[in-house]
Amino acid sequence: MGREPQQVSYTVEQLVSVNPYNPDILTELENYVNEQVSSQTYSLDANLCLLRLYQFDPTRLSIAIVVRILIKALMAMPAPDFSLCLFLIPEPVQADEQIKTLIVLSHYLETARFRQFWDEAAKNHSLLEVVPGFEQAIQAYAIHVLSLSYQKVPRPVLAETINIEGLSLDKFIEYHVANSGWVLEKGSGRSQLIVLPRNEFNHPGLKKNSSDGMPFEHVTRIFPILS
């Protein structure tokens, strides 16, 4: 008998919390991965639980499901979800061509090599298009990285980083000027600069004097950008 998506979500989360090592919930967890894809929701805990169950019974492992879990994990960056998921995937499974591609894409994102990322993503469009919202999630992550590193971003740098050009880029910038505190500024000649909101990373002087240092996840991601 069918159940409403919200009920399924609640039931799965409850099962994961109460009995995460029960192999009887494996099929339900797989269905939940597909539901996350179709509803554009996300549950790292449920997906990690499923990957652990696959370890106990490798014969039931579905490459298609693992691929979808990893794509959703990439979309969660800068959270370290992709690495957490990959740690639970056996090496022979990681040798699958689709998963190898996702590992390459992850490396490009972690090292802020966005041009290479978008080039590789374009070559593997059929792999990534199965998960709605992927491009938008990566663009959000790219802007996050820019905000840690730049006070002002030249328009060509922004275009390359988020893989948008022309009128689409104009609309993208207009949206963020209206909603995200971006400011447009003229550069030299006819160039355009995007002034990003001030934060303690692109304006170190704003960093509060407290015992709370920079979160480790930020440190590990900023070093590759600056190298």
Side-chain angles (χ1 to χ4, degrees):
M1 186 174 180
R3 289 177 290 183
E4 293 297 323
Q6 283 188 334
Q7 291 177 309
V8 172
S9 173
Y10 175 78
T11 302
V12 170
E13 296 290 357
Q14 186 179 48
L15 288 173
V16 169
S17 175
V18 173
N19 196 358
Y21 297 102
N22 182 0
D24 293 338
I25 68 173
L26 190 148
T27 299
E28 194 155 9
L29 287 172
E30 289 181 327
N31 292 336
Y32 190 39
V33 171
N34 291 326
E35 182 189 318
Q36 291 173 55
V37 170
S38 61
S39 63
Q40 297 193 44
T41 56
Y42 182 56
S43 174
L44 174 63
D45 289 342
N47 294 345
L48 290 176
C49 180
L50 175 56
L51 293 176
R52 283 193 294 268
L53 291 176
Y54 279 155
Q55 286 184 318
F56 299 142
D57 190 355
T59 62
R60 298 182 66 181
L61 184 145
S62 165
I63 291 291
I65 292 294
V66 171
V67 165
R68 293 182 179 191
I69 287 174
L70 289 177
I71 293 175
K72 294 292 284 187
L74 277 181
M75 294 167 64
M77 291 187 75
D81 297 15
F82 188 89
S83 296
L84 294 174
C85 292
L86 196 64
F87 180 76
L88 296 175
I89 299 173
E91 287 189 13
V93 179
Q94 293 186 30
D96 178 86
E97 288 301 319
Q98 296 177 92
I99 295 178
K100 285 166 65 176
T101 295
L102 295 175
I103 292 172
V104 170
L105 291 173
S106 172
H107 176 68
Y108 285 150
L109 290 177
E110 289 175 350
T111 55
R113 296 161 65 185
F114 291 106
R115 182 176 63 185
Q116 292 92 330
F117 169 84
W118 292 116
D119 288 345
E120 188 68 21
K123 297 175 187 175
N124 295 277
H125 179 70
S126 60
L127 170 65
L128 302 171
E129 68 177 352
V130 299
V131 180
F134 177 77
E135 185 172 312
Q136 293 78 7
I138 301 304
Q139 288 167 345
Y141 167 67
I143 292 171
H144 166 76
V145 172
L146 289 176
S147 72
L148 297 182
S149 312
Y150 290 93
Q151 298 176 6
K152 300 179 181 180
V153 180
R155 180 187 173 100
V157 172
L158 176 65
E160 180 177 292
T161 303
I162 63 175
N163 197 40
I164 301 179
E165 296 180 346
L167 292 176
S168 296
L169 181 58
D170 290 337
K171 292 180 180 179
F172 188 91
I173 293 173
E174 288 174 5
Y175 173 85
H176 283 280
V177 166
N179 297 279
S180 304
W182 290 11
V183 175
L184 291 181
E185 185 178 285
K186 288 186 178 180
S188 58
R190 300 178 61 183
S191 64
Q192 190 178 58
L193 296 173
I194 295 90
V195 182
L196 300 175
R198 293 160 61 92
N199 61 67
E200 63 182 290
F201 301 108
N202 63 16
H203 284 75
L206 295 178
K207 189 171 179 63
K208 297 178 180 179
N209 293 322
S210 69
S211 59
D212 297 327
M214 183 186 299
F216 180 73
E217 65 184 84
H218 287 309
V219 176
T220 57
R221 297 189 184 282
I222 290 174
F223 281 152
I225 299 167
L226 299 180
S227 60

